[in-house]
Amino acid sequence: MITDAGRVPIGRRAWIGNGRHGASLAPDGTIDWYAAGGLSARPDLWRLLDPGGPAVRVGPVRDGSGARRHLPASQALYRPGTNIVDTVAEAAGGRRLMVTDFVPHDEEGGICRLIRALSGPVDIEVEVLAGPDRRPGGIRRVVAPVEAGLTLDGLTVSAPARFEPAPLDRDTPRWRAVFSLDTGEEAAVTIGFDRPLSVGAVRLLLDDTTTAEHSWLAPIAYTGPFRASVERSLLAIRSLTGPSGAPAAAGTTSLPRRIGSERSADDRWVRLRDVARAVPVLAGIGRPEDAENAETWLRNTVSTAHLPWPAWLDADGQPVPDAEEVPFEGWRRNQPVRLGRLSGPPDVGLVGPVTAATGASMSGPYPRPDDPGPLSAAFDALAEATDWACDHWREPDEGPWEVARPLRRYTAGRLGAWNACRRMAQMARAANPLDLRAVTWQQEGADLLHWMESSAVAADGGLRMDGRPDAPDESDAALLAVAWSGPWPMNHPIVAATVGRVIERLSSGPLLYRYSDRVADERAGPDLPDLEVSLLGVKALAHLEDWDRAHDRMEGIVRLIDAAGPGLPAETADPISGELFGNFPSTAVALMLIEAASALTAGPR
């Protein structure tokens, strides 16, 4: 029987994708999340978020006596240097088979599943669980036979045997295709293709995908520690990056950051901060073409988006549809389940990372505004956004964590606005030393610096989360960025005190919380430590040349991610159980892992 998705920890799952499409793969061979219309489209397989939802499993035949027990299967493992997954499963009598899952790199859609009998004969079944359609306006799904397979509301599943009805009970429709393979024999199953594919055709697609992904990794210019984790993070980003050049924040929606809380969202969209960070990361790691594609997307987006910029957009740079709740039961019954995003108040610091990405894929630190470089061509739009930040930084906002209520005067947001003023003044002067806008931005930057030093410094000398006079003295992990992007040098007391207070106050082992659970954010249930900011802590310690602590924390984080499963980054981690939570794979975590590993190469171990 197809596994209840809620029983499988998020960290044990694999993700296969080519940027246009992606799917969640459980270790028993079940595909339980897939949207044929694209990463952010309405799902066609969604058992991941609903125990009665549709899914497709390939694996050994389970006889009647063992139909509801889980036969042993190895953890799904990625082939080195690829997003291709091999799962070895045991069948009756000690026989074994291997299922190879991938999304072809140059196809518009579809999942290929190549089955090989390692020791046979072995009886294999393809299970298709339909279930009722609980999407808004949904009814029981329409299942129809087609050549060498069946369709579920138009989604075609092809197999090398005829599908026969095999319902689990009166309300749970299921179809099975059963066949046998002898040792060394292969068969192909496909999902989402408009025609069945032969084993030979799937083999060719597998070889093409392997070659393409190995070639993509070949120029990577990273030789430091944690190379395997860096490669896996890069491949995760690649699996979420379509033709637009902008990676989606994750492949899934509504997987909770912690069980029993409302901390879940639809992250299958593009977060502006992620794209801005991806530009220098991809350029520095040896993927300049991808960095240029991300910059081009940023240029087009900021040139057409209305101010203030939204935190989230779709892959075409257009607004994300308003969030709607769908009546799925939720992963481990966690509610709500949403498609789309809730819009909140603007973040005044968002302009900082975007302007910091200016020209990051080109030679020279400060390209002229009239250069053909992608972001410098959007100089006027960047100038307008910086002016907007200058006009509004004194007002409370939602900050980098998108806490819509209550609003605060986040110090991290003001740090981002200061960076925008500095960057834009430098760019303006590079083009015209007499540009008066540079004077205005320089003065606003001085005002921001004065505000941070006079209003946001706590008694221990470090920056606090909220700079309002009556705000409590709370720490904010986003402020770790002062170690490399603040107005003070690395040896300044404010920098050391800020990093020290965040590490001391927000740590749980090598992990870091985004902020204290004493901070009111009007969300039900406390949060778990966040993997992105945990890696942010590694980078900050490396910049302060605290090498031993930086390496120790990095080793603990990587060990936790690898122990959870195939090494994919999710959003949060339970410091006690080591279980990962949240949407996956997380672009923000993958980017920060690469940044943290790169920072460690500057010093000894």
Side-chain angles (χ1 to χ4, degrees):
M1 186 186 75
I2 291 175
T3 300
D4 180 351
R7 297 180 184 177
V8 181
I10 290 169
R12 291 195 65 206
R13 298 176 172 280
W15 177 263
I16 53 174
N18 66 358
R20 300 177 182 87
H21 301 85
S24 166
L25 174 63
D28 72 338
T30 298
I31 299 284
D32 53 20
W33 180 265
Y34 173 64
L39 281 180
S40 58
R42 288 183 174 273
D44 294 275
L45 304 176
W46 66 82
R47 190 175 178 83
L48 177 65
L49 293 175
D50 194 341
V56 178
R57 173 188 168 268
V58 173
V61 167
R62 306 185 184 191
D63 59 28
S65 62
R68 294 189 177 273
R69 68 180 178 87
H70 305 300
L71 290 175
S74 73
Q75 173 65 55
L77 296 176
Y78 285 102
R79 292 190 178 182
T82 74
N83 284 310
I84 300 165
V85 177
D86 288 328
T87 303
V88 176
E90 296 182 14
R95 297 178 177 88
R96 298 162 67 241
L97 62 88
M98 182 172 71
V99 182
T100 300
D101 288 282
F102 66 101
V103 176
H105 80 100
D106 61 350
E107 293 287 325
E108 288 299 318
I111 301 169
C112 291
R113 317 197 70 183
L114 185 66
I115 307 106
R116 180 181 179 84
L118 300 179
S119 58
V122 57
D123 293 330
I124 299 162
E125 65 184 355
V126 181
E127 293 182 275
V128 178
L129 187 68
D133 189 342
R134 295 197 178 106
R135 293 172 295 183
I139 57 175
R140 185 171 297 279
R141 309 193 76 186
V142 176
V143 180
V146 295
E147 180 188 1
L150 54 78
T151 65
L152 286 77
D153 291 343
L155 179 70
T156 301
V157 181
S158 298
R162 180 181 177 84
F163 280 97
E164 301 289 348
L168 296 176
D169 53 51
R170 184 178 60 184
D171 299 319
T172 312
R174 179 180 63 147
W175 283 260
R176 297 169 73 226
V178 179
F179 55 95
S180 181
L181 294 178
D182 211 340
T183 302
E185 290 184 334
E186 294 181 325
V189 172
T190 59
I191 303 171
F193 288 87
D194 57 5
R195 66 194 186 285
L197 298 179
S198 67
V199 169
V202 171
R203 269 276 167 207
L204 286 175
L205 290 173
L206 177 62
D207 292 343
D208 288 346
T209 301
T210 302
T211 299
E213 295 188 339
H214 282 168
S215 298
W216 188 85
L217 274 182
I220 297 305
Y222 180 82
T223 58
F226 310 105
R227 167 86 186 199
S229 296
V230 168
E231 287 188 356
R232 180 51 49 207
S233 295
L234 283 166
L235 287 164
I237 295 168
R238 173 177 164 83
S239 76
L240 297 171
T241 306
S244 74
T252 57
T253 176
S254 303
L255 293 176
R257 291 174 58 90
R258 182 171 191 158
I259 296 300
S261 76
E262 295 178 358
R263 299 174 188 277
S264 62
D266 188 351
D267 287 346
R268 300 171 301 150
W269 310 92
V270 176
R271 188 169 72 155
L272 203 59
R273 281 181 180 274
D274 289 346
V275 186
R277 286 178 50 209
V279 175
V281 168
L282 292 170
I285 204 72
R287 292 298 314 173
E289 180 180 349
D290 298 272
E292 290 172 8
N293 290 340
E295 275 201 272
T296 299
W297 185 92
L298 277 176
R299 176 198 65 199
N300 294 335
T301 297
V302 303
S303 295
T304 57
H306 296 292
L307 290 172
W309 292 335
W312 295 82
L313 296 155
D314 70 12
D316 296 322
Q318 299 302 308
V320 174
D322 291 338
E324 60 173 323
E325 293 191 15
V326 291
F328 296 168
E329 187 173 304
W331 189 75
R332 295 188 184 175
R333 295 181 171 81
N334 207 88
Q335 291 289 323
V337 177
R338 295 190 180 104
L339 303 179
R341 295 285 309 190
L342 297 172
S343 58
D347 171 15
V348 74
L350 183 56
V351 66
V354 176
T355 55
T358 303
S361 69
M362 301 180 296
S363 60
Y366 305 123
R368 299 187 312 275
D370 58 348
D371 270 352
L375 268 187
S376 61
F379 183 85
D380 289 342
L382 295 174
E384 291 175 6
T386 304
D387 289 341
W388 181 90
C390 291
D391 292 339
H392 292 84
W393 68 262
R394 295 169 179 83
E395 304 166 8
D397 65 354
E398 70 173 4
W401 306 128
E402 300 176 38
V403 180
R405 294 289 185 274
L407 300 182
R408 294 176 175 85
R409 201 169 295 171
Y410 285 93
T411 307
R414 278 74 203 152
L415 183 64
W418 177 87
N419 270 296
C421 290
R422 174 189 62 88
R423 179 67 163 152
M424 294 304 295
Q426 290 171 330
M427 290 183 66
R429 282 205 181 91
N432 179 7
L434 301 179
D435 193 329
L436 294 180
R437 291 177 297 181
V439 177
T440 299
W441 292 325
Q442 183 176 4
Q443 183 56 54
E444 285 292 336
D447 290 346
L448 279 157
L449 175 58
H450 174 74
W451 178 87
M452 286 187 283
E453 293 182 336
S454 61
S455 300
V457 177
D460 61 5
L463 295 173
R464 56 195 179 98
M465 182 180 205
D466 188 342
R468 293 174 301 170
D470 57 345
D473 179 15
E474 297 292 354
S475 295
D476 179 357
L479 290 169
L480 290 167
V482 299
W484 62 87
S485 65
W488 308 281
M490 284 192 303
N491 60 355
H492 194 283
I494 288 180
V495 175
T498 300
V499 174
R501 80 189 321 249
V502 169
I503 298 295
E504 178 183 353
R505 293 185 175 197
L506 300 181
S507 286
S508 178
L511 303 175
L512 282 172
Y513 292 88
R514 297 191 296 186
Y515 46 84
S516 168
D517 59 10
R518 295 188 301 271
V519 174
D521 60 9
E522 298 189 4
R523 292 171 176 165
D527 205 2
L528 282 173
D530 185 275
L531 288 172
E532 178 189 4
V533 302
S534 299
L535 293 159
L536 191 69
V538 173
K539 182 179 178 181
L541 289 170
H543 275 268
L544 268 59
E545 300 183 350
D546 191 344
W547 301 113
D548 285 341
R549 282 210 296 169
H551 275 277
D552 288 346
R553 296 180 79 92
M554 185 71 170
E555 288 169 1
I557 295 166
V558 169
R559 190 182 308 117
L560 184 149
I561 294 173
D562 289 345
L568 278 185
E571 292 182 88
T572 64
D574 188 318
I576 298 175
S577 69
E579 188 172 348
L580 304 185
F581 293 94
N583 291 315
F584 75 97
S586 168
T587 290
V589 177
L591 288 168
M592 187 49 66
L593 189 147
I594 298 166
E595 290 188 52
S598 299
L600 291 174
T601 63
R605 176 49 169 162

